[in-house]
PDB file of all heavy atoms in Angstrom:
ATOM      1  N   ASN Y 199      93.320 127.416  90.702  1.00 95.00           N
ATOM      2  CA  ASN Y 199      91.896 127.652  90.413  1.00 95.00           C
ATOM      3  C   ASN Y 199      91.535 129.122  90.615  1.00 95.00           C
ATOM      4  O   ASN Y 199      90.685 129.659  89.906  1.00 95.00           O
ATOM      5  CB  ASN Y 199      90.991 126.853  91.371  1.00 95.00           C
ATOM      6  CG  ASN Y 199      91.208 125.353  91.323  1.00 95.00           C
ATOM      7  OD1 ASN Y 199      91.904 124.863  90.456  1.00 95.00           O
ATOM      8  ND2 ASN Y 199      90.601 124.636  92.254  1.00 95.00           N
ATOM      9  N   VAL Y 200      92.148 129.753  91.613  1.00 97.00           N
ATOM     10  CA  VAL Y 200      91.701 131.080  92.040  1.00 97.00           C
ATOM     11  C   VAL Y 200      91.861 132.125  90.935  1.00 97.00           C
ATOM     12  O   VAL Y 200      91.127 133.106  90.887  1.00 97.00           O
ATOM     13  CB  VAL Y 200      92.451 131.499  93.338  1.00 97.00           C
ATOM     14  CG1 VAL Y 200      93.856 131.987  93.053  1.00 97.00           C
ATOM     15  CG2 VAL Y 200      91.660 132.534  94.120  1.00 97.00           C
ATOM     16  N   SER Y 201      92.806 131.892  90.021  1.00 97.00           N
ATOM     17  CA  SER Y 201      93.171 132.922  89.037  1.00 97.00           C
ATOM     18  C   SER Y 201      92.650 132.648  87.627  1.00 97.00           C
ATOM     19  O   SER Y 201      92.978 133.404  86.702  1.00 97.00           O
ATOM     20  CB  SER Y 201      94.698 133.040  88.987  1.00 97.00           C
ATOM     21  OG  SER Y 201      95.274 131.800  88.585  1.00 97.00           O
ATOM     22  N   PHE Y 202      91.845 131.591  87.468  1.00 97.00           N
ATOM     23  CA  PHE Y 202      91.289 131.306  86.134  1.00 97.00           C
ATOM     24  C   PHE Y 202      90.658 132.562  85.551  1.00 97.00           C
ATOM     25  O   PHE Y 202      89.949 133.295  86.241  1.00 97.00           O
ATOM     26  CB  PHE Y 202      90.204 130.217  86.213  1.00 97.00           C
ATOM     27  CG  PHE Y 202      90.729 128.816  86.152  1.00 97.00           C
ATOM     28  CD1 PHE Y 202      90.387 127.898  87.128  1.00 97.00           C
ATOM     29  CD2 PHE Y 202      91.544 128.396  85.102  1.00 97.00           C
ATOM     30  CE1 PHE Y 202      90.863 126.588  87.080  1.00 97.00           C
ATOM     31  CE2 PHE Y 202      92.022 127.094  85.049  1.00 97.00           C
ATOM     32  CZ  PHE Y 202      91.682 126.192  86.039  1.00 97.00           C
ATOM     33  N   GLY Y 203      90.918 132.823  84.273  1.00 97.00           N
ATOM     34  CA  GLY Y 203      90.261 133.924  83.572  1.00 97.00           C
ATOM     35  C   GLY Y 203      90.876 135.286  83.813  1.00 97.00           C
ATOM     36  O   GLY Y 203      90.341 136.293  83.349  1.00 97.00           O
ATOM     37  N   LEU Y 204      91.987 135.350  84.541  1.00 98.00           N
ATOM     38  CA  LEU Y 204      92.613 136.641  84.833  1.00 98.00           C
ATOM     39  C   LEU Y 204      93.978 136.750  84.156  1.00 98.00           C
ATOM     40  O   LEU Y 204      94.631 135.725  83.912  1.00 98.00           O
ATOM     41  CB  LEU Y 204      92.824 136.796  86.344  1.00 98.00           C
ATOM     42  CG  LEU Y 204      91.568 136.946  87.198  1.00 98.00           C
ATOM     43  CD1 LEU Y 204      91.927 136.907  88.675  1.00 98.00           C
ATOM     44  CD2 LEU Y 204      90.848 138.261  86.859  1.00 98.00           C
ATOM     45  N   PRO Y 205      94.418 137.978  83.871  1.00 98.00           N
ATOM     46  CA  PRO Y 205      95.813 138.167  83.453  1.00 98.00           C
ATOM     47  C   PRO Y 205      96.730 138.074  84.671  1.00 98.00           C
ATOM     48  O   PRO Y 205      96.255 138.165  85.809  1.00 98.00           O
ATOM     49  CB  PRO Y 205      95.804 139.579  82.870  1.00 98.00           C
ATOM     50  CG  PRO Y 205      94.699 140.279  83.587  1.00 98.00           C
ATOM     51  CD  PRO Y 205      93.661 139.231  83.918  1.00 98.00           C
ATOM     52  N   ALA Y 206      98.009 137.929  84.419  1.00 98.00           N
ATOM     53  CA  ALA Y 206      99.025 137.867  85.491  1.00 98.00           C
ATOM     54  C   ALA Y 206      98.602 136.885  86.586  1.00 98.00           C
ATOM     55  O   ALA Y 206      98.593 137.223  87.778  1.00 98.00           O
ATOM     56  CB  ALA Y 206      99.300 139.267  86.058  1.00 98.00           C
ATOM     57  N   ARG Y 207      98.253 135.671  86.178  1.00 97.00           N
ATOM     58  CA  ARG Y 207      97.726 134.677  87.129  1.00 97.00           C
ATOM     59  C   ARG Y 207      98.699 134.377  88.254  1.00 97.00           C
ATOM     60  O   ARG Y 207      98.291 134.144  89.385  1.00 97.00           O
ATOM     61  CB  ARG Y 207      97.394 133.378  86.384  1.00 97.00           C
ATOM     62  CG  ARG Y 207      96.193 133.509  85.478  1.00 97.00           C
ATOM     63  CD  ARG Y 207      95.842 132.178  84.846  1.00 97.00           C
ATOM     64  NE  ARG Y 207      95.487 131.171  85.853  1.00 97.00           N
ATOM     65  CZ  ARG Y 207      95.155 129.923  85.546  1.00 97.00           C
ATOM     66  NH1 ARG Y 207      95.142 129.528  84.290  1.00 97.00           N
ATOM     67  NH2 ARG Y 207      94.838 129.069  86.496  1.00 97.00           N
ATOM     68  N   HIS Y 208     100.001 134.366  87.957  1.00 97.00           N
ATOM     69  CA  HIS Y 208     100.968 133.983  88.990  1.00 97.00           C
ATOM     70  C   HIS Y 208     100.955 134.940  90.173  1.00 97.00           C
ATOM     71  O   HIS Y 208     101.132 134.524  91.316  1.00 97.00           O
ATOM     72  CB  HIS Y 208     102.375 133.874  88.383  1.00 97.00           C
ATOM     73  CG  HIS Y 208     102.538 132.685  87.493  1.00 97.00           C
ATOM     74  ND1 HIS Y 208     103.664 131.895  87.479  1.00 97.00           N
ATOM     75  CD2 HIS Y 208     101.686 132.120  86.601  1.00 97.00           C
ATOM     76  CE1 HIS Y 208     103.507 130.910  86.614  1.00 97.00           C
ATOM     77  NE2 HIS Y 208     102.317 131.037  86.056  1.00 97.00           N
ATOM     78  N   LEU Y 209     100.720 136.240  89.883  1.00 98.00           N
ATOM     79  CA  LEU Y 209     100.623 137.235  90.962  1.00 98.00           C
ATOM     80  C   LEU Y 209      99.454 136.897  91.882  1.00 98.00           C
ATOM     81  O   LEU Y 209      99.577 136.933  93.115  1.00 98.00           O
ATOM     82  CB  LEU Y 209     100.443 138.636  90.349  1.00 98.00           C
ATOM     83  CG  LEU Y 209     100.039 139.750  91.317  1.00 98.00           C
ATOM     84  CD1 LEU Y 209     101.134 139.986  92.360  1.00 98.00           C
ATOM     85  CD2 LEU Y 209      99.740 141.040  90.547  1.00 98.00           C
ATOM     86  N   VAL Y 210      98.314 136.565  91.280  1.00 98.00           N
ATOM     87  CA  VAL Y 210      97.121 136.250  92.073  1.00 98.00           C
ATOM     88  C   VAL Y 210      97.350 134.960  92.864  1.00 98.00           C
ATOM     89  O   VAL Y 210      97.022 134.875  94.061  1.00 98.00           O
ATOM     90  CB  VAL Y 210      95.892 136.135  91.141  1.00 98.00           C
ATOM     91  CG1 VAL Y 210      94.635 135.774  91.933  1.00 98.00           C
ATOM     92  CG2 VAL Y 210      95.678 137.445  90.373  1.00 98.00           C
ATOM     93  N   ASN Y 211      97.941 133.955  92.211  1.00 98.00           N
ATOM     94  CA  ASN Y 211      98.184 132.675  92.896  1.00 98.00           C
ATOM     95  C   ASN Y 211      99.078 132.850  94.118  1.00 98.00           C
ATOM     96  O   ASN Y 211      98.812 132.310  95.191  1.00 98.00           O
ATOM     97  CB  ASN Y 211      98.862 131.678  91.939  1.00 98.00           C
ATOM     98  CG  ASN Y 211      97.966 131.246  90.791  1.00 98.00           C
ATOM     99  OD1 ASN Y 211      96.758 131.475  90.814  1.00 98.00           O
ATOM    100  ND2 ASN Y 211      98.549 130.615  89.787  1.00 98.00           N
ATOM    101  N   ARG Y 212     100.170 133.602  93.948  1.00 98.00           N
ATOM    102  CA  ARG Y 212     101.120 133.663  95.065  1.00 98.00           C
ATOM    103  C   ARG Y 212     100.609 134.547  96.188  1.00 98.00           C
ATOM    104  O   ARG Y 212     100.910 134.300  97.357  1.00 98.00           O
ATOM    105  CB  ARG Y 212     102.512 134.066  94.582  1.00 98.00           C
ATOM    106  CG  ARG Y 212     102.692 135.479  94.114  1.00 98.00           C
ATOM    107  CD  ARG Y 212     104.166 135.716  93.767  1.00 98.00           C
ATOM    108  NE  ARG Y 212     104.409 137.067  93.315  1.00 98.00           N
ATOM    109  CZ  ARG Y 212     104.461 137.445  92.032  1.00 98.00           C
ATOM    110  NH1 ARG Y 212     104.280 136.569  91.063  1.00 98.00           N
ATOM    111  NH2 ARG Y 212     104.711 138.697  91.712  1.00 98.00           N
ATOM    112  N   THR Y 213      99.832 135.573  95.850  1.00 98.00           N
ATOM    113  CA  THR Y 213      99.263 136.410  96.913  1.00 98.00           C
ATOM    114  C   THR Y 213      98.228 135.606  97.700  1.00 98.00           C
ATOM    115  O   THR Y 213      98.194 135.644  98.940  1.00 98.00           O
ATOM    116  CB  THR Y 213      98.636 137.681  96.310  1.00 98.00           C
ATOM    117  OG1 THR Y 213      99.626 138.346  95.528  1.00 98.00           O
ATOM    118  CG2 THR Y 213      98.135 138.612  97.398  1.00 98.00           C
ATOM    119  N   PHE Y 214      97.417 134.832  96.978  1.00 98.00           N
ATOM    120  CA  PHE Y 214      96.454 133.977  97.670  1.00 98.00           C
ATOM    121  C   PHE Y 214      97.169 132.951  98.545  1.00 98.00           C
ATOM    122  O   PHE Y 214      96.728 132.667  99.668  1.00 98.00           O
ATOM    123  CB  PHE Y 214      95.528 133.277  96.661  1.00 98.00           C
ATOM    124  CG  PHE Y 214      94.510 132.384  97.314  1.00 98.00           C
ATOM    125  CD1 PHE Y 214      93.536 132.915  98.139  1.00 98.00           C
ATOM    126  CD2 PHE Y 214      94.536 131.014  97.116  1.00 98.00           C
ATOM    127  CE1 PHE Y 214      92.604 132.101  98.770  1.00 98.00           C
ATOM    128  CE2 PHE Y 214      93.606 130.185  97.736  1.00 98.00           C
ATOM    129  CZ  PHE Y 214      92.645 130.737  98.567  1.00 98.00           C
ATOM    130  N   LEU Y 215      98.285 132.423  98.063  1.00 98.00           N
ATOM    131  CA  LEU Y 215      99.030 131.447  98.863  1.00 98.00           C
ATOM    132  C   LEU Y 215      99.443 132.049 100.205  1.00 98.00           C
ATOM    133  O   LEU Y 215      99.278 131.428 101.256  1.00 98.00           O
ATOM    134  CB  LEU Y 215     100.267 130.944  98.108  1.00 98.00           C
ATOM    135  CG  LEU Y 215     101.149 129.964  98.891  1.00 98.00           C
ATOM    136  CD1 LEU Y 215     100.400 128.669  99.201  1.00 98.00           C
ATOM    137  CD2 LEU Y 215     102.440 129.649  98.133  1.00 98.00           C
ATOM    138  N   ALA Y 216      99.953 133.280 100.176  1.00 98.00           N
ATOM    139  CA  ALA Y 216     100.392 133.919 101.429  1.00 98.00           C
ATOM    140  C   ALA Y 216      99.219 134.072 102.397  1.00 98.00           C
ATOM    141  O   ALA Y 216      99.332 133.784 103.595  1.00 98.00           O
ATOM    142  CB  ALA Y 216     101.023 135.273 101.128  1.00 98.00           C
ATOM    143  N   LEU Y 217      98.068 134.512 101.871  1.00 98.00           N
ATOM    144  CA  LEU Y 217      96.884 134.678 102.729  1.00 98.00           C
ATOM    145  C   LEU Y 217      96.424 133.335 103.286  1.00 98.00           C
ATOM    146  O   LEU Y 217      96.049 133.217 104.450  1.00 98.00           O
ATOM    147  CB  LEU Y 217      95.746 135.320 101.921  1.00 98.00           C
ATOM    148  CG  LEU Y 217      95.994 136.739 101.397  1.00 98.00           C
ATOM    149  CD1 LEU Y 217      94.917 137.133 100.384  1.00 98.00           C
ATOM    150  CD2 LEU Y 217      96.029 137.726 102.553  1.00 98.00           C
ATOM    151  N   ALA Y 218      96.463 132.311 102.448  1.00 98.00           N
ATOM    152  CA  ALA Y 218      95.957 130.995 102.852  1.00 98.00           C
ATOM    153  C   ALA Y 218      96.881 130.337 103.868  1.00 98.00           C
ATOM    154  O   ALA Y 218      96.409 129.651 104.785  1.00 98.00           O
ATOM    155  CB  ALA Y 218      95.770 130.107 101.618  1.00 98.00           C
ATOM    156  N   VAL Y 219      98.191 130.530 103.720  1.00 98.00           N
ATOM    157  CA  VAL Y 219      99.128 129.962 104.692  1.00 98.00           C
ATOM    158  C   VAL Y 219      98.895 130.629 106.053  1.00 98.00           C
ATOM    159  O   VAL Y 219      98.907 129.980 107.097  1.00 98.00           O
ATOM    160  CB  VAL Y 219     100.589 130.122 104.213  1.00 98.00           C
ATOM    161  CG1 VAL Y 219     101.578 129.738 105.311  1.00 98.00           C
ATOM    162  CG2 VAL Y 219     100.837 129.256 102.980  1.00 98.00           C
ATOM    163  N   ALA Y 220      98.622 131.933 106.028  1.00 98.00           N
ATOM    164  CA  ALA Y 220      98.327 132.631 107.292  1.00 98.00           C
ATOM    165  C   ALA Y 220      97.059 132.071 107.941  1.00 98.00           C
ATOM    166  O   ALA Y 220      96.943 132.023 109.168  1.00 98.00           O
ATOM    167  CB  ALA Y 220      98.183 134.129 107.039  1.00 98.00           C
ATOM    168  N   ALA Y 221      96.100 131.624 107.118  1.00 98.00           N
ATOM    169  CA  ALA Y 221      94.844 131.084 107.655  1.00 98.00           C
ATOM    170  C   ALA Y 221      94.988 129.639 108.119  1.00 98.00           C
ATOM    171  O   ALA Y 221      94.124 129.139 108.839  1.00 98.00           O
ATOM    172  CB  ALA Y 221      93.740 131.198 106.596  1.00 98.00           C
ATOM    173  N   GLY Y 222      96.065 128.942 107.692  1.00 98.00           N
ATOM    174  CA  GLY Y 222      96.258 127.571 108.153  1.00 98.00           C
ATOM    175  C   GLY Y 222      96.485 126.543 107.066  1.00 98.00           C
ATOM    176  O   GLY Y 222      96.599 125.347 107.355  1.00 98.00           O
ATOM    177  N   LEU Y 223      96.547 126.954 105.812  1.00 98.00           N
ATOM    178  CA  LEU Y 223      96.827 126.006 104.726  1.00 98.00           C
ATOM    179  C   LEU Y 223      98.216 125.390 104.907  1.00 98.00           C
ATOM    180  O   LEU Y 223      99.174 126.106 105.200  1.00 98.00           O
ATOM    181  CB  LEU Y 223      96.776 126.746 103.379  1.00 98.00           C
ATOM    182  CG  LEU Y 223      96.772 125.872 102.119  1.00 98.00           C
ATOM    183  CD1 LEU Y 223      95.355 125.347 101.864  1.00 98.00           C
ATOM    184  CD2 LEU Y 223      97.241 126.660 100.895  1.00 98.00           C
ATOM    185  N   ASP Y 224      98.333 124.071 104.744  1.00 98.00           N
ATOM    186  CA  ASP Y 224      99.670 123.465 104.830  1.00 98.00           C
ATOM    187  C   ASP Y 224      99.975 122.553 103.649  1.00 98.00           C
ATOM    188  O   ASP Y 224     100.941 121.775 103.698  1.00 98.00           O
ATOM    189  CB  ASP Y 224      99.888 122.748 106.168  1.00 98.00           C
ATOM    190  CG  ASP Y 224      99.026 121.505 106.340  1.00 98.00           C
ATOM    191  OD1 ASP Y 224      98.145 121.264 105.500  1.00 98.00           O
ATOM    192  OD2 ASP Y 224      99.250 120.774 107.320  1.00 98.00           O
ATOM    193  N   CYS Y 225      99.198 122.669 102.590  1.00 98.00           N
ATOM    194  CA  CYS Y 225      99.423 121.849 101.401  1.00 98.00           C
ATOM    195  C   CYS Y 225      98.764 122.541 100.213  1.00 98.00           C
ATOM    196  O   CYS Y 225      97.693 123.138 100.362  1.00 98.00           O
ATOM    197  CB  CYS Y 225      98.801 120.465 101.614  1.00 98.00           C
ATOM    198  SG  CYS Y 225      98.889 119.367 100.183  1.00 98.00           S
ATOM    199  N   ALA Y 226      99.382 122.476  99.041  1.00 98.00           N
ATOM    200  CA  ALA Y 226      98.737 123.040  97.857  1.00 98.00           C
ATOM    201  C   ALA Y 226      99.035 122.197  96.626  1.00 98.00           C
ATOM    202  O   ALA Y 226     100.145 121.684  96.469  1.00 98.00           O
ATOM    203  CB  ALA Y 226      99.190 124.484  97.619  1.00 98.00           C
ATOM    204  N   ILE Y 227      98.012 122.049  95.794  1.00 98.00           N
ATOM    205  CA  ILE Y 227      98.217 121.537  94.444  1.00 98.00           C
ATOM    206  C   ILE Y 227      98.513 122.771  93.609  1.00 98.00           C
ATOM    207  O   ILE Y 227      97.662 123.654  93.474  1.00 98.00           O
ATOM    208  CB  ILE Y 227      96.963 120.804  93.921  1.00 98.00           C
ATOM    209  CG1 ILE Y 227      96.558 119.690  94.881  1.00 98.00           C
ATOM    210  CG2 ILE Y 227      97.209 120.255  92.520  1.00 98.00           C
ATOM    211  CD1 ILE Y 227      95.265 118.977  94.499  1.00 98.00           C
TER     212      ILE Y 227
END
Side-chain angles (χ1 to χ4, degrees):
N199 301 350
V200 78
S201 61
F202 274 127
L204 292 173
R207 290 184 62 181
H208 289 221
L209 168 64
V210 179
N211 293 346
R212 70 176 180 264
T213 305
F214 180 64
L215 177 64
L217 297 168
V219 171
L223 192 81
D224 68 352
C225 176
I227 304 176

